[in-house]
Amino acid sequence: MYDLIIVGAGPGGYVAAERAGARGLRVLLIEQRKLGGVCLNEGCIPSKTLLNSAKLYYYAVHGTAYGVHASGVSFDWAAAQARKEEVMKTLRNGIAGLMKKNKVEVLYGAARLAGPRAVTVDGKTYEARAVILATGSAPARPPIPGIDLPGVVDSTGILSLERLPKRLVVIGGGVIGCEFACCFGSLGVPVTVIEMMPEICPQIDAELARTLRAELAKKNITFHVGAKVLEITPDAVRFEQGGKVEQIERDIVLVSTGRVPNVQGLGLEEARVEFDRRGIKVDDRCATNQPGLFAIGDCTGRSWLAHTASRMGEVVVNNLTGREDRMRWHAIPAVVYTNPEVASVGLSETDAAARGLPVKIVKWPLTANGRFLAEHAGERGLAKLVLHAETGVLLGAHVVGGACSEMIFGCAALIEMEARVRDLEEIVFPHPTASEAMRDAVFTLH
Amino acid sequence: MAIPIIMPRQGQSVESCILVQWLVKPGDSVSEGQPVANIETDKATFEVPAPASGTVLELFFSEGADIPVLTNIGAIGSPGEDVAALRPGGATAPPAASASPTPEPEQTAQVAPSSGSPSATPSLQQGTPVGVSPRARKAAEKAGIDPTSLAGSGPNGRVIERDIVAAAAGRPPMTVAARAAGPIPAGAWPAQGTGVGGRVTTSDRLAAKEAPAQISRAMEKPAATVRELPVKGIRKIIAERMRQSLSTTAQLTLHARADITVLQAFRARAKAKGEAFGFPKVTINDLVCFAAVRALKKHPALNAHFLGDRILEFESVHLGVAVDTPRGLMVPVVQDADRLSLAELSAAIRERADACQSGSINPDLLVGGTFTVTNLGALGIDYFTPVLNAPEVAILGVGGISLQPARRADGSTAFVETLAFSLTIDHQAVDGAPAARFLQDLVTAVEHIDILLAADSQKA
């Protein structure tokens, strides 16, 4: 009998296991494949490793504006892949170490619910006071003719390509599509992104998305927005845009049209767990409709972000160990790890309008920021804050430019603390940093 | 030398009394022992006698104020004498004239005594605490607490720093924005913040004003066969009203039966011959409503609203009639039902009930009732316990007809048709005996409905 069984060792599951173990719970962590889940093995970490290699290559080739002239620069895809594998291995070992340190038992195998508080793995049943489902998600496979042809890959497949593509067609200009487009575009691969919506990354602020698209377009990336893919053929992708059918030559095709929760094969129906194709239904304590059964992360379809999954796991463990906690969804940062990066947290201008909140928008161009200008020749960026018009409370922060992902946590903290304009004004920012753009934006109010 | 009028101590356990009414006004001459004010504890009402003969110089509190015992509430002396030293709140407090320590705007406006006093300061009118020490005020500001909402433990009930410290202890921390939204009264603190680290956020403040959210117990419901219905629209309104009614009132239900031999005979004859006289077809409910409205005219205590600190008795009867509709219970109101003839009342009820059924009721006709009648008789219910339509203090439930044995005047026994009544009252506002008297009068009126109608037409 365990205190807690966790199904899935991704950033939701292993963090929950670590926290629970640290509080003295007897934890069983069950993983079908590798510790770290999609995030570590075929998502966040490998893609960021390759993106960084691509970024280094890009600046090596485009260093003339900074006075750096390099010749004979080449890119070794195999070496980049090897480094990626090394990073992943190090992190997996790190997780294994954390599990050991916190006395978490790790079991490899496919788990199936045997009641709300029990799971079966390889015919053996394990029971616990509580069970957390953290089974993650998988790339969606849209019904596009030709999707099964050779050379058509998803976000997992593209990470393990044996060679650089001659050209890349990306179907779906969301976060994942844009990140890979940026990676390969920066490496000199001609990239075409086909997005059905009128703008790329529809979940981010429209003005930032426009800026991102303009910046990415400088890196061998052609965008077709408001375009619908009709068919993938052995040597081309056909799509329709503005009533016209067009065709582009293809080598590798990346299908990145979103993700679907892993809810099949878990015995959810038999255990009478409420779920649908969008995920397992949970409340703000991540509790399902079955007592003692919780679900966190992508399998709930709530946010598709590793850090959300981790936090959801922590909420469950907190409640299980006597610390009242619930999810707050209003200050979860989201990042697009392109170059430039896009980072945002809280309400966008559109969200605020939809809720009828009186807001004031303040902006600061990063080209007016000392650090950004010093380090980004010919690049653009923008910081945009959404403030409550009456109370001055910070409701949202949205930045595009440079490595802005590293500063967004500060805005999340300020939103969580309900900081107001006058509080922001009293906080000291280091100079020179790109983060000062936030402060400068606030002072445009005066 | 002016002499203070002191709020007397009425027993050891009484810490404060409500000043119900001033019997004198500034400038009046009083003799020692003459009652100058009525005060009230939670149990009884008392008179405060004048401590000396002389002229009423000033009254320090307005009616309705809750005043700690042994506080100076007024001063008597010779005209022109200075009473500053006698004002409660000590030397640091600005002179209090007509303002009470916790004046509510409506009450202040109604206060007659010493209204001519020019020394009342605007800050006092706005409720700045007379009895809050400067240190306490500072601490309260920091803690986001409304000091005027606390019972002070200092002299004369003055709120001092330790009261704030005690009030703040154990409370969750607040975000700056939540604090900036103003102080929170003692009773209205959210028990727990939903913000980071359990902080009280601005949205918690808003939520605290509403009923506490029902925590999802979804995990406990049996799966699959359950039909989930969102609580919204009329259902939501009914849910809130009913819960509020039962949680804020002291409900007592009295039951009685009326012999409706006469009423039934009257109805039968009206049905057969009424048309010839231009008399409409009326239902039993119409007749009961008519009798209830007339009985209420004799019992205004039941035609009233209970508002916590005061009771409003109404001259007119605005009769609410509960209507079962496909969307849920609705209670349209017939305004000035006491001015309507039976025919008019019957027509008004039918018209409103039809509008409720069809969903075309004017929302203005769903508010403003002073008394409600609800009828479950057609559904085979005898007696029940109607839930008050708060702040109304009474609701009449009409049950079904049943045969009951009765002794006739000649000593024989017979079965007579009777109608069941269930009267729920708010015992906060009305006691059992007066409610029973109303019910008795109602039964008599129903039993002699023909005489009631005849008497009514005589008046008209």
Side-chain angles (χ1 to χ4, degrees):
Chain A
M1 181 79 169
Y2 292 89
D3 291 324
L4 180 61
I5 292 175
I6 301 168
V7 181
Y14 86 74
V15 169
E18 184 190 346
R19 303 282 181 265
R23 293 204 192 142
L25 298 192
R26 202 170 158 227
V27 185
L28 176 66
L29 178 63
I30 303 170
E31 170 57 49
Q32 207 169 351
R33 293 183 289 165
K34 290 173 179 170
L35 287 181
V38 166
C39 165
L40 198 161
N41 299 292
E42 48 206 46
C44 320
I45 300 300
S47 66
K48 259 84 273 179
T49 316
L50 293 179
L51 271 163
N52 190 56
S53 293
K55 189 170 167 180
L56 287 174
Y57 174 83
Y58 178 83
Y59 283 116
V61 174
H62 296 86
T64 47
Y66 305 92
V68 179
H69 296 270
S71 57
V73 179
S74 66
F75 189 79
D76 184 344
W77 176 250
Q81 286 281 15
R83 180 168 185 278
K84 178 199 88 180
E85 291 299 330
E86 197 54 41
V87 167
M88 284 165 22
K89 196 173 138 203
T90 306
L91 290 170
R92 270 198 305 270
N93 289 341
I95 295 173
L98 281 171
M99 294 306 106
K100 198 172 169 204
K101 184 181 160 217
N102 292 296
K103 301 190 171 59
V104 174
E105 231 175 283
V106 180
L107 175 69
Y108 289 92
R112 195 178 168 86
L113 284 175
R117 292 188 165 102
V119 298
T120 307
V121 182
D122 293 331
K124 195 172 168 212
T125 301
Y126 301 83
E127 290 184 5
R129 285 199 296 127
V131 173
I132 301 179
L133 296 175
T135 53
S137 62
R141 284 181 66 79
I144 300 172
I147 193 165
D148 295 320
L149 287 170
V152 181
V153 297
D154 59 19
S155 58
T156 309
I158 199 164
L159 285 165
S160 44
L161 290 179
E162 286 172 4
R163 56 168 175 87
L164 271 184
K166 286 196 243 358
R167 50 180 307 134
L168 175 68
V169 178
V170 177
I171 300 176
V175 174
I176 296 170
C178 282
E179 288 184 10
F180 283 111
C182 179
C183 176
F184 290 99
S186 300
L187 292 172
V189 175
V191 179
T192 306
V193 176
I194 305 173
E195 167 61 44
M196 205 152 74
M197 303 294 282
E199 184 54 274
I200 59 166
C201 298
Q203 61 274 60
I204 67 174
D205 177 276
E207 191 177 4
L208 268 61
R210 259 201 316 280
T211 309
L212 174 67
R213 185 154 58 91
E215 287 300 297
L216 289 180
K218 298 173 187 169
K219 297 183 173 73
N220 300 315
I221 305 171
T222 311
F223 289 94
H224 294 279
V225 292
K228 188 176 187 300
V229 173
L230 302 172
E231 186 191 5
I232 305 168
T233 68
D235 49 13
V237 174
R238 288 178 59 234
F239 64 95
E240 189 200 317
Q241 189 180 19
K244 255 174 53 193
V245 176
E246 298 192 43
Q247 176 161 328
I248 36 172
E249 205 186 313
R250 77 145 170 122
D251 174 21
I252 299 295
V253 175
L254 167 67
V255 178
S256 52
T257 52
R259 301 184 66 84
V260 289
N262 293 331
V263 290
Q264 301 304 324
L266 298 169
L268 296 177
E269 298 88 346
E270 293 87 334
R272 293 176 167 180
V273 179
E274 199 181 332
F275 77 102
D276 59 24
R277 60 186 174 77
R278 282 164 304 183
I280 301 167
K281 303 287 164 223
V282 292
D283 63 14
D284 283 349
R285 288 179 166 77
C286 307
T288 67
N289 64 322
Q290 293 299 324
L293 182 65
F294 300 84
I296 62 174
D298 287 7
C299 70
T300 66
R302 287 299 291 262
S303 134
W304 314 102
L305 293 166
H307 44 271
T308 307
S310 300
R311 169 75 184 135
M312 290 175 89
E314 289 169 346
V315 165
V316 174
V317 172
N318 281 342
N319 285 314
L320 288 177
T321 54
R323 176 170 147 190
E324 179 86 352
D325 200 358
R326 37 174 95 193
M327 278 304 291
R328 293 184 301 278
W329 302 97
H330 71 291
I332 295 179
V335 176
V336 190
Y337 293 90
T338 42
N339 177 26
E341 295 179 350
V342 181
S344 62
V345 61
L347 294 186
S348 68
E349 200 173 346
T350 332
D351 298 335
R355 290 179 198 202
L357 287 173
V359 293
K360 196 144 183 91
I361 309 297
V362 293
K363 301 182 204 176
W364 192 260
L366 289 181
T367 43
N369 173 283
R371 176 81 180 273
F372 186 86
L373 200 59
E375 297 184 353
H376 298 87
E379 295 180 20
R380 285 193 304 145
L382 177 70
K384 187 170 179 179
L385 302 183
V386 180
L387 303 162
H388 193 285
E390 284 146 22
T391 60
V393 170
L394 178 66
L395 300 174
H398 310 271
V399 195
V400 56
C404 58
S405 62
E406 293 294 348
M407 65 169 99
I408 204 68
F409 86 95
C411 295
L414 292 166
I415 290 172
E416 286 274 23
M417 300 298 286
E418 292 199 313
R420 304 157 299 168
V421 166
R422 62 160 293 180
D423 307 313
L424 285 164
E425 286 175 357
E426 294 177 14
I427 294 172
V428 180
F429 287 59
H431 178 77
T433 58
S435 65
E436 288 173 287
M438 312 269 187
R439 205 166 188 271
D440 288 325
V442 167
F443 276 94
T444 60
L445 280 172
H446 302 293
Chain B
M1 180 67 189
I3 291 170
I5 306 169
I6 295 171
M7 176 63 77
R9 179 181 277 276
Q10 304 290 350
Q12 285 306 315
S13 65
V14 177
E15 290 168 352
S16 68
C17 294
I18 309 279
L19 176 65
V20 179
Q21 192 185 9
W22 280 115
L23 303 173
V24 294
K25 56 184 190 299
D28 282 359
S29 292
V30 293
S31 49
E32 188 178 339
Q34 175 188 338
V36 293
N38 284 331
I39 59 163
E40 192 176 87
T41 68
D42 54 349
K43 295 267 183 273
T45 307
F46 302 90
E47 284 176 348
V48 179
S53 299
T55 303
V56 177
L57 298 174
E58 195 171 318
L59 305 175
F60 300 138
F61 292 90
S62 50
E63 291 171 0
D66 186 4
I67 305 164
V69 298
L70 306 181
T71 303
N72 293 351
I73 58 172
I76 293 172
S78 314
E81 271 186 296
D82 182 20
V83 297
L86 298 179
R87 283 196 192 100
T92 53
S98 63
S100 85
T102 54
E104 284 164 34
E106 318 91 287
Q107 289 177 335
T108 317
Q110 291 163 5
V111 171
S114 70
S115 56
S117 166
S119 61
T121 62
S123 66
L124 277 173
Q125 300 285 6
Q126 289 159 16
T128 304
V130 165
V132 178
S133 79
R135 283 178 71 86
R137 199 169 309 156
K138 225 172 201 169
E141 210 170 289
K142 219 171 150 190
I145 293 171
D146 177 4
T148 59
S149 67
L150 298 176
S153 67
N156 291 332
R158 189 172 166 82
V159 174
I160 58 176
E161 196 181 9
R162 70 167 180 234
D163 298 324
I164 308 293
V165 172
R171 281 184 183 165
M174 290 173 106
T175 66
V176 278
R179 186 173 309 138
I184 302 182
W189 268 75
Q192 204 183 4
T194 64
V196 64
R199 275 173 179 72
V200 172
T201 63
T202 41
S203 50
D204 292 337
R205 292 193 57 144
L206 295 175
K209 288 180 189 158
E210 295 156 16
Q214 292 291 314
I215 293 160
S216 166
R217 305 305 302 185
M219 51 160 72
E220 280 165 21
K221 84 185 174 202
T225 55
V226 170
R227 194 162 68 107
E228 188 173 307
L229 304 167
V231 175
K232 59 179 189 185
I234 292 185
R235 193 76 256 151
K236 189 158 193 261
I237 295 168
I238 294 172
E240 282 166 7
R241 295 257 172 87
M242 293 298 131
R243 193 176 56 218
Q244 191 204 7
S245 172
L246 286 172
S247 65
T248 61
T249 62
Q251 307 207 0
L252 166 67
T253 306
L254 308 176
H255 302 295
R257 278 195 178 280
D259 179 340
I260 53 166
T261 312
V262 169
L263 185 142
Q264 288 290 60
F266 172 78
R267 272 190 74 215
R269 283 195 294 130
K271 203 171 168 187
K273 301 284 177 208
E275 214 176 338
F277 301 92
F279 193 81
K281 282 176 193 157
V282 292
T283 64
I284 294 178
N285 199 55
D286 291 339
L287 289 163
V288 169
C289 286
F290 181 77
V293 168
R294 292 303 181 275
L296 282 171
K297 293 297 280 183
K298 278 171 68 186
H299 298 268
L302 282 97
N303 187 45
H305 283 179
F306 179 78
L307 300 175
D309 58 345
R310 58 195 194 280
I311 294 168
L312 300 178
E313 283 181 3
F314 299 98
E315 200 183 321
S316 303
V317 179
H318 300 324
L319 184 72
V321 182
V323 178
D324 175 36
T325 79
R327 276 149 300 146
L329 169 71
M330 296 175 86
V331 185
V333 174
V334 179
Q335 299 278 333
D336 297 311
D338 53 321
R339 288 188 212 149
L340 303 182
S341 69
L342 173 63
E344 289 165 339
L345 180 67
S346 168
I349 292 172
R350 192 166 50 246
E351 184 192 317
R352 282 160 179 72
D354 289 347
C356 285
Q357 293 291 358
S358 66
S360 61
I361 186 79
N362 178 348
D364 291 347
L365 294 176
L366 293 173
V367 293
T370 60
F371 182 88
T372 298
V373 174
T374 175
N375 192 326
L376 292 178
L379 301 172
I381 299 299
D382 224 13
Y383 293 119
F384 56 111
T385 57
V387 176
L388 285 172
N389 193 6
E392 291 173 24
V393 302
I395 179 168
L396 178 70
V398 183
I401 298 166
S402 64
L403 287 172
Q404 297 286 331
R407 195 181 292 276
R408 295 285 191 213
D410 59 5
S412 66
T413 306
F415 280 97
V416 299
E417 279 193 319
T418 63
L419 191 59
F421 292 127
S422 302
L423 176 74
T424 298
I425 54 158
D426 185 350
H427 209 326
Q428 296 179 107
V430 186
D431 294 334
R437 274 179 221 119
F438 164 74
L439 198 50
Q440 211 170 21
D441 279 354
L442 174 68
V443 166
T444 308
V446 168
E447 289 182 344
H448 303 93
I449 194 79
D450 50 351
I451 301 176
L452 179 72
L453 285 164
D456 203 68
S457 63
Q458 203 176 19
K459 254 187 285 172

